[in-house]
């Protein structure tokens, strides 16, 4: 029987420029009410988004305890050495609160429009594999870092600062080879219910388990993160976002508690990032932080 780690519960922070205070207000909700993670999508090619790493640094300066990270940074626009540098810098400045989410680049047109280049399809996973080894190698290097690969090469690289804590690497994955790579090399996976519905989670877990086993790791070493896009049906006015799908539910407080408990117990998901849709999003986040998250933790603790 595969054991599961204690759940981590998080929220999405939107990097939109329409309301510069929105990101800080969302982060304050997470920091005040015991939410574990506050993650930000990283799409530099979207003109209405702030730069995610600059925003993370600003949020780190205004929070005390919540862990902060990317969901996820695209390697074609964030070279691994610079990602390692940014993550370790914010980690030190925040007192050890950074989580690094990385993706191979899910939006090739946007990446190309911003001057980036995707590897050939056959080389996406090998290049990603090397990038993860580079990032970890730089973090762990004490003297000059050397690496010779097909995609990245380093010789005598002097790296600093050293991260303040062991930064978890999360992989934004969508296909079997990337899930297996996650099992081999990463600390966690991040998938989204809008693209990977619940019916596919057993298959996802199997790919990750296979990758972990082949690498001599135990499957419970890899966290299973689920971006939960949907809406909380708040009292007072019905909230029925136009962009809801069957896999992005509209539920009341009790419904969300039951849903997360089910995903943990029956689908092996152990990390949940709530992405509110529709209206009254900050109110939804408050309800999630104050009512849903504590009830989920209590339900899972009582069952142990």
């Amino acid at each position: 029987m595969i054991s599961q780690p204690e759940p981590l519960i998080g929220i999405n922070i939107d990097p939109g420029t329409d309301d510069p205070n929105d990101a800080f207000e969302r982060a304050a909700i997470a920091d005040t009410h015991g939410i574990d993670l506050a993650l930000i999508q990283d799409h530099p090619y979207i003109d209405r988004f702030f730069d995610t790493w600059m925003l993370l640094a600003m949020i780190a300066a205004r929070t005390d305890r919540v862990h902060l990270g990317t969901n996820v940074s695209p390697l074609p626009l964030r070279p691994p050495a610079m990602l390692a540098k940014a993550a370790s810098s914010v980690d030190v400045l925040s007192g050890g609160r950074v989580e690094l989410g990385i993706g191979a680049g899910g939006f090739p047109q946007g990446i190309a429009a911003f001057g980036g280049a995707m590897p050939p399809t056959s080389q996406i996973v090998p290049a990603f594999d090397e990038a993860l080894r580079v990032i970890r190698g730089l973090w762990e290097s004490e003297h000059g870092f050397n690496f010779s690969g097909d995609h990245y090469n380093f010789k005598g690289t002097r790296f600093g600062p050293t991260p303040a804590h062991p930064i978890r690497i999360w992989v934004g994955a969508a296909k079997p080879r990337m899930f297996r790579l996650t099992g081999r090399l990463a600390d966690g996976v991040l998938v989204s219910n809008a693209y990977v519905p619940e019916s596919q989670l057993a298959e996802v877990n199997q790919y990750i388990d296979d990758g972990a086993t082949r690498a001599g790791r135990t499957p419970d070493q890899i966290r299973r993160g689920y971006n939960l896009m949907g809406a909380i049906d708040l009292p007072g006015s019905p909230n029925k976002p136009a962009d809801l799908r069957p896999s992005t539910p509209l539920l009341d407080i009790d419904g969300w508690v039951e849903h997360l408990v089910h995903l943990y117990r029956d689908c092996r998901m152990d990390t949940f990032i709530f992405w509110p849709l529709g209206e009254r999003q900050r109110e939804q986040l408050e309800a999630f932080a104050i009512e849903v998250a504590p009830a989920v933790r209590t339900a899972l603790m009582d069952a142990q």
Side-chain angles (χ1 to χ4, degrees):
M1 180 177 180
I2 296 174
S3 62
Q4 284 182 270
E6 292 186 6
L8 293 176
I9 299 181
I11 64 166
N12 168 67
I13 291 181
D14 193 280
T17 58
D18 290 345
D19 179 1
N21 291 319
D22 182 69
F24 300 108
E25 291 174 359
R26 293 186 185 218
I29 291 170
D31 205 45
T32 301
H33 297 294
I35 291 297
D36 300 303
L37 308 172
L39 304 184
I40 306 178
Q41 56 190 300
D42 189 8
H43 300 293
Y45 37 79
I46 295 181
D47 59 354
R48 60 182 182 82
F49 280 3
F50 287 115
D51 177 78
T52 291
W53 280 99
M54 293 294 291
L55 185 57
L56 280 171
M58 291 288 291
I59 291 173
R62 300 192 189 188
T63 53
D64 296 314
R65 52 155 306 279
V66 67
H67 276 226
L68 307 167
T70 50
N71 193 5
V72 292
S73 283
L75 270 178
L77 292 177
R78 308 281 194 185
M82 297 309 296
L83 267 182
K85 183 83 172 185
S88 59
S89 297
V90 179
D91 196 56
V92 170
L93 294 169
S94 67
R97 294 190 285 124
V98 164
E99 311 276 335
L100 178 58
I102 313 174
F107 298 93
Q109 288 182 325
I111 288 168
F114 233 60
M118 295 286 295
T121 301
S122 64
Q123 293 301 304
I124 288 176
V125 174
F128 200 92
D129 181 304
E130 287 189 15
L132 264 62
R133 296 179 191 276
V134 165
I135 291 169
R136 288 205 192 278
L138 288 168
W139 285 342
E140 296 169 1
S141 63
E142 296 182 359
H143 304 290
F145 173 71
N146 299 299
F147 183 89
S148 179
D150 295 327
H151 303 276
Y152 302 102
N153 288 277
F154 296 81
K155 186 175 181 180
T157 305
R158 306 287 293 186
F159 183 83
T162 300
H165 88 300
I167 299 174
R168 281 182 288 225
I169 295 179
W170 303 76
V171 173
K175 295 184 178 180
R177 291 181 69 197
M178 288 294 282
F179 290 130
R180 292 191 182 101
L181 180 147
T182 301
R184 290 201 321 271
L185 295 176
D187 300 296
V189 72
L190 288 169
V191 295
S192 300
N193 62 352
Y195 307 106
V196 181
E198 181 182 327
S199 60
Q200 296 178 16
L201 292 178
E203 188 176 17
V204 167
N205 283 323
Q206 188 59 59
Y207 289 133
I208 295 171
D209 293 350
D210 288 346
T213 301
R214 292 178 188 180
R217 309 174 75 194
T218 57
D220 60 2
Q221 289 181 260
I222 298 92
R223 279 198 166 270
R224 322 293 164 121
Y226 209 19
N227 289 312
L228 293 170
M229 301 174 186
I232 296 178
D233 194 4
L234 298 170
S237 62
N239 183 23
K240 296 182 179 180
D243 51 352
L244 279 179
R245 310 178 192 181
S247 59
T248 56
L250 169 65
L251 302 169
D252 61 14
I253 298 293
D254 290 341
W256 275 106
V257 173
E258 292 174 6
H259 187 47
L260 268 64
V261 169
H262 160 67
L263 289 170
Y264 183 89
R265 289 176 176 167
D266 303 323
C267 303
R268 293 178 57 200
M269 296 291 105
D270 57 55
T271 302
F272 307 103
I273 311 300
F274 178 55
W275 291 50
L277 301 178
E279 299 177 354
R280 303 169 65 187
Q281 290 191 7
R282 284 201 290 272
E283 290 180 63
Q284 291 187 60
L285 288 174
E286 287 182 335
F288 184 81
I290 295 171
E291 299 185 65
V292 174
V296 169
R297 291 191 179 103
T298 298
L300 294 177
M301 186 179 300
D302 289 345
Q304 292 179 350

